[in-house]
Amino acid sequence: MTALDPTTAQLPAQPKGGTPRSGQHTRLWAALLALPTGWMVAFFLSSMVIVVLLSFGRTQADGQPVFSTRLDNYAQLWDPLYLRLFLRSVSYAVATTAICAVLAYPVAYVVALHGGRRKNLLIAAIVVPFFASYLIRMYAWSALLSDDGLVNSLIVRLHLGGGVQFLNTPYAVIGGLVYGYVVFMILPVYAALERMDTSLIEAGKDLYHGPWRTFWSVTLPATRAGLFGGVLLVFLPALGDFVSAQLLGGPKTFMIGNLIQQQFLEGQNWPLGSAMTVAMMIGLTVIMVGYLRATATRSREAS
Amino acid sequence: MSARSRRVERRPAVAVAVTVVFFAWLYLPIAAVVLFSFNSVKSLSTFRGFSTRWYADFVHDADLVTSLVASIGIAAVSAVGALVLGTMLALGLSRIRSRTGRAVGAVTLLPLVTPEIVTGVAALLLFTGVGLKLSLVTVTLAEITFSIAYVTVIVRGRLAAMSTEVEEAARDLGCTPWQALRLVTLPTLVPALLGAGLLVFALVFDDFVLAFFTTGVSPQPLPVRIYSSIRFGVSPAINAVGTVMLVLSALVMVLALIVPRLWGRKSSSLDLITGA
């Protein structure tokens, strides 16, 4: 945006008749960029290239992965067992995203519009635990929900029933994912609500009267950008997660992440694991591009 | 603070109820971890009395203490490394106007939209591929790579809000570009840099996935150690370690939110996180 600002754009952008100064600072910026760019190429881009290359590789008899040019690993992915697992992962991630959206709106709404002076404190109270150890929080749920955990012992003590099996169910895994990532939905929705002109809500109330209709026809469209952003921020990590299914679920609820993790750290089939990783990235890219296109069109129609 | 009142309606009862339940749900498991870490018996459902025996177990477990120290070290080195590289990147990207510059900018944001398991797998393959032995060093390299993008986003946000006129004035007064950067721009960035550094420290200290894929056998970062003991079943000793981790990272996060505010104006990393 600074480029369009008339007060700042003129100075660095225009070479002043070839004074040594402009050349000097272009060199400075290029020098500043060189090291981090080199680092990202060496440690990030090259690692991604290796994953793609190894996905065409094979495992030698002695267990060593070697580069090759076969499509075997990709052919293996069409196994119905794997396909079912992919489908399960996507459905868990979609359910997680939907629950996060339904949960995030009332919370963000109350904090942004009725938080008053404690607004920042409330947001901090949401953010701090979310950045504190994901693993410990998942462990906490597994301890609470286990067969001899606090929740079940309360159910038995209050004579509500004979105990419920929570762990090893899809509900526990999706619940864990929601618990892990809901903050990524709350923050963008909160930011959108903060920026929103609240007199619109008043106007909506005058026109439509009911709070629900006002929400659907005024508040939701006005905060659409925040919701769209939140959907991506929750969906991406939820789809790749393996900790929730590992600690709160079991083999029946495993997701892509568990499968990939097994290939690398248990099954030791690195080329197959690489193919799964690449397939997941391709799937995610397709979903993301489709999603971004759809939301871009809707935003344009709205304005 | 806007003069216009935000309170345009009565509190929506349903939304308030959901929010109350949300906060309870958010803190219930954390409270349980902390409570049972002080339990005098080995139970996760019945609290029999106050005791610090699980903390004593933790302190006397040399492996766990080594892991804790290792995690703090990794987080500190990663925070400094990511801060240096991320700030260089942010400064370079904010001033360079070429197409290559923009392409570099887009590539450096990729780690933010890549699922962590992918980054982890890729780092594992890279390190073993070039023959690096997996250790705390490889964990740190991977964590720095992953954290650069966070610093870049925060510092670029701050730079965009900053006027370039002061830096230009410094140059008109005879500063070299480097002097102008060092004497004018960097001091203005200090609050944002502190916030970003603390945020990266907290993220890396707690990070499990990347550490899990890139660590060697011993010593391991604390989250990886905890993960392997959880798989053998829950135990109150883990609650004590978990409480220590939660308290440490909560403290660092609170600092990350507060420290930039000490400089007065509204510029905490909270605003950067929420995008406000």
Side-chain angles (χ1 to χ4, degrees):
Chain A
M1 295 310 112
T2 45
L4 301 173
D5 186 349
T7 57
T8 54
Q10 36 188 311
L11 288 165
Q14 286 158 16
K16 289 179 185 167
T19 53
R21 193 193 264 181
S22 65
Q24 213 181 349
H25 71 243
T26 312
R27 268 203 305 280
L28 175 67
W29 306 136
L32 280 173
L33 278 177
L35 184 59
T37 309
W39 180 286
M40 291 309 285
V41 170
F43 289 104
F44 187 74
L45 284 184
S46 65
S47 70
M48 293 296 162
V49 171
I50 295 181
V51 176
V52 174
L53 288 180
L54 195 63
S55 71
F56 299 103
R58 63 192 171 84
T59 311
Q60 279 178 336
D62 62 353
Q64 281 292 330
V66 285
F67 292 117
S68 175
T69 52
R70 310 147 151 251
L71 288 169
D72 298 19
N73 300 312
Y74 288 98
Q76 272 195 60
L77 297 184
W78 295 104
D79 187 316
L81 186 79
Y82 293 154
L83 289 179
R84 211 172 325 135
L85 211 136
F86 292 151
L87 213 63
R88 183 194 295 149
S89 308
V90 173
S91 61
Y92 283 10
V94 168
T96 302
T97 312
I99 297 172
C100 283
V102 171
L103 203 57
Y105 257 97
V107 174
Y109 192 92
V110 168
V111 175
L113 272 59
H114 297 274
R117 249 192 260 163
R118 290 158 298 171
K119 203 153 58 176
N120 282 329
L121 193 67
L122 286 171
I123 279 294
I126 294 174
V127 168
V128 169
F130 272 102
F131 283 91
S133 196
Y134 177 58
L135 186 71
I136 296 292
R137 288 183 297 126
M138 286 301 117
Y139 158 76
W141 275 117
S142 79
L144 274 179
L145 297 178
S146 66
D147 290 345
D148 52 356
L150 189 62
V151 175
N152 262 319
S153 72
L154 278 181
I155 290 177
V156 172
R157 243 177 275 174
L158 299 173
H159 303 290
L160 296 172
V164 183
Q165 198 211 347
F166 293 107
L167 298 183
N168 269 321
T169 62
Y171 309 109
V173 177
I174 294 171
L177 292 173
V178 172
Y179 191 75
Y181 301 117
V182 69
V183 74
F184 297 126
M185 186 72 84
I186 295 182
L187 291 179
V189 169
Y190 169 81
L193 282 166
E194 270 269 271
R195 274 194 295 265
M196 186 184 155
D197 183 359
T198 44
S199 58
L200 284 175
I201 299 179
E202 279 175 278
K205 286 261 164 75
D206 292 341
L207 282 171
Y208 302 104
H209 301 294
W212 285 108
R213 277 196 69 186
T214 309
F215 177 78
W216 278 112
S217 45
V218 179
T219 316
L220 193 60
T223 53
R224 192 185 264 150
L227 177 66
F228 288 165
V231 165
L232 273 188
L233 290 177
V234 172
F235 185 81
L236 287 174
L239 191 70
D241 186 272
F242 70 93
V243 178
S244 182
Q246 187 77 53
L247 296 182
L248 304 175
K252 276 185 298 176
T253 55
F254 273 178
M255 300 173 66
I256 308 176
N258 301 88
L259 199 60
I260 294 177
Q261 187 260 116
Q262 280 177 350
Q263 303 311 316
F264 281 95
L265 300 166
E266 288 160 30
Q268 299 293 338
N269 192 344
W270 290 17
L272 181 61
S274 301
M276 288 168 175
T277 310
V278 173
M280 180 170 95
M281 283 307 280
I282 292 173
L284 274 179
T285 312
V286 169
I287 293 173
M288 262 174 69
V289 169
Y291 176 81
L292 288 175
R293 283 225 177 130
T295 52
T297 332
R298 292 197 67 181
S299 304
R300 228 177 301 132
E301 278 165 4
S303 58
Chain B
M1 278 286 142
S2 67
R4 176 180 48 140
S5 167
R6 285 287 213 193
R7 200 172 289 248
V8 293
E9 47 171 3
R10 281 185 304 128
R11 290 172 186 232
V14 179
V16 172
V18 172
T19 307
V20 171
V21 173
F22 170 81
F23 273 96
W25 173 70
L26 178 58
Y27 280 95
L28 170 78
I30 296 172
V33 168
V34 176
L35 176 71
F36 285 104
S37 76
F38 291 108
N39 201 356
S40 60
V41 294
K42 193 183 166 111
S43 163
L44 292 172
S45 54
T46 332
F47 192 79
R48 288 253 183 265
F50 181 87
S51 142
T52 52
R53 59 184 278 209
W54 307 114
Y55 288 90
D57 280 7
F58 170 31
V59 176
H60 292 117
D61 186 328
D63 267 7
L64 277 177
V65 174
T66 313
S67 289
L68 175 65
V69 174
S71 275
I72 293 176
I74 292 169
V77 175
S78 303
V80 174
L83 213 48
V84 171
L85 290 166
T87 308
M88 288 171 79
L89 196 59
L91 286 169
L93 289 176
S94 69
R95 306 296 158 81
I96 220 146
R97 308 230 182 273
S98 68
R99 193 171 291 179
T100 341
R102 261 179 312 210
V104 170
V107 168
T108 52
L109 292 181
L110 274 180
L112 289 181
V113 293
T114 312
E116 225 186 326
I117 189 168
V118 177
T119 324
V121 163
L124 169 67
L125 290 186
L126 173 71
F127 293 141
T128 44
V130 298
L132 265 179
K133 198 172 174 302
L134 295 180
S135 66
L136 299 181
V137 176
T138 47
V139 176
T140 312
L141 289 174
E143 297 285 6
I144 291 176
T145 310
F146 185 65
S147 313
I148 289 174
Y150 285 96
V151 178
T152 307
V153 168
I154 292 178
V155 175
R156 282 186 86 179
R158 189 73 198 94
L159 280 172
M162 214 166 95
S163 149
T164 55
E165 282 162 28
V166 194
E167 205 184 296
E168 292 300 331
R171 278 218 285 274
D172 286 339
L173 291 172
C175 283
T176 63
W178 169 243
Q179 282 172 326
L181 187 68
R182 191 166 53 90
L183 299 171
V184 178
T185 313
L186 279 180
T188 336
L189 283 176
V190 166
L193 291 181
L194 279 174
L198 288 164
L199 185 73
V200 170
F201 184 96
L203 287 174
V204 173
F205 178 69
D206 284 327
D207 179 69
F208 164 66
V209 177
L210 213 47
F212 183 57
F213 280 101
T214 51
T215 184
V217 179
S218 173
Q220 289 180 327
L222 193 54
V224 181
R225 281 274 332 177
I226 294 176
Y227 180 75
S228 31
S229 19
I230 293 173
R231 295 190 67 189
F232 294 114
V234 291
S235 121
I238 300 172
N239 286 17
V241 184
T243 304
V244 171
M245 279 198 84
L246 287 172
V247 168
L248 254 173
S249 41
L251 274 180
V252 176
M253 269 308 288
V254 168
L255 277 181
L257 297 181
I258 288 177
V259 165
R261 270 178 199 267
L262 297 181
W263 267 258
R265 295 198 318 110
K266 221 183 143 251
S267 67
S268 89
S269 20
L270 184 60
D271 305 319
L272 294 156
I273 295 169
T274 59

